[in-house]
Amino acid sequence: MKKKDPCYGPLWLKTVLLSLLLSAFAHRAPAQYYDSLVRKSLIARLRVETNDSARIGLCNDAASDYLRHNMLDSALYYSGQAMQLGQTLHWQRPLDQAIFFSCKAYAMAHRLPETRMLIGNATGRLKVRLLIEMGEQYAFRLGLLAENLDSAYPYIQRAFAYCDSIGDA
């Protein structure tokens, strides 16, 4: 007497169902896997890099990547590292980029005192960028409520006024 197969049904049906099940899970994995590989690669390159000017760029790249994936504490850590290196080397452009990433992370985390401190200490085009970023954080919150637009308006207004005061620098 033959024993019955515990999984009833023809073999082709089992194969089709198994392949459908596997393909359903395979669509999400490559993007997440790729993102984690990019992050690991950035961090590995950062650990072995000895040139400070290259480290600033890698720190800013890591901060940008973590911001894109809404990992705010990590973004703040790497932008803080880039800010320290930029101040040490007196290299303004990467320093401004790191300050922007820090401001964006603070704004996304709703840590307004830190965001306002960064805006208050900034000058020139960086200050305008930070004011616009702060306005965008309010304006594009979920729900598009009138209160959010009312909160965004002073930042945008200050950005326009500051642009007028500094001219086309």
Side-chain angles (χ1 to χ4, degrees):
M1 183 153 173
K2 276 187 168 179
K3 289 185 178 179
K4 282 198 169 185
D5 186 12
C7 298
Y8 298 103
L11 183 61
W12 67 270
L13 182 61
K14 294 176 199 171
T15 307
V16 169
L17 289 175
L18 182 62
S19 65
L20 286 174
L21 183 66
L22 289 174
S23 68
F25 289 109
H27 289 290
R28 284 187 307 160
Q32 292 171 347
Y33 181 70
Y34 176 76
D35 287 341
S36 70
L37 282 180
V38 169
R39 236 182 329 275
K40 285 179 184 176
S41 169
L42 272 173
I43 303 309
R45 286 175 38 208
L46 189 58
R47 285 186 182 143
V48 297
E49 185 60 59
T50 57
N51 184 354
D52 284 343
S53 60
R55 287 179 61 81
I56 293 174
L58 290 172
C59 284
N60 277 333
D61 289 345
S64 173
D65 186 61
Y66 281 116
L67 271 174
R68 191 174 33 246
H69 292 92
N70 209 22
M71 298 177 185
L72 305 179
D73 289 336
S74 297
L76 285 169
Y77 173 77
Y78 286 108
S79 63
Q81 294 287 317
M83 283 171 38
Q84 287 176 353
L85 283 168
Q87 289 170 345
T88 301
L89 297 174
H90 305 289
W91 199 4
Q92 197 60 41
R93 181 171 280 174
L95 175 62
D96 288 351
Q97 192 68 18
I99 292 170
F100 175 77
F101 289 143
S102 292
C103 183
K104 186 170 184 163
Y106 283 135
M108 289 171 71
H110 306 290
R111 293 171 57 180
L112 299 181
E114 291 94 340
T115 307
R116 289 186 183 123
M117 184 210 50
L118 286 173
I119 292 171
N121 293 335
T123 59
R125 291 181 181 189
L126 175 63
K127 185 169 192 150
V128 174
R129 254 182 102 189
L130 297 180
L131 287 167
I132 290 171
E133 178 61 34
M134 193 64 182
E136 286 178 355
Q137 287 298 319
Y138 278 113
F140 297 120
R141 283 191 179 161
L142 292 176
L144 293 174
L145 301 173
E147 297 85 29
N148 294 344
L149 296 176
D150 289 343
S151 298
Y153 181 72
Y155 292 103
I156 303 300
Q157 187 179 28
R158 282 178 54 199
F160 277 116
Y162 192 74
C163 280
D164 289 341
S165 72
I166 62 173
D168 189 30

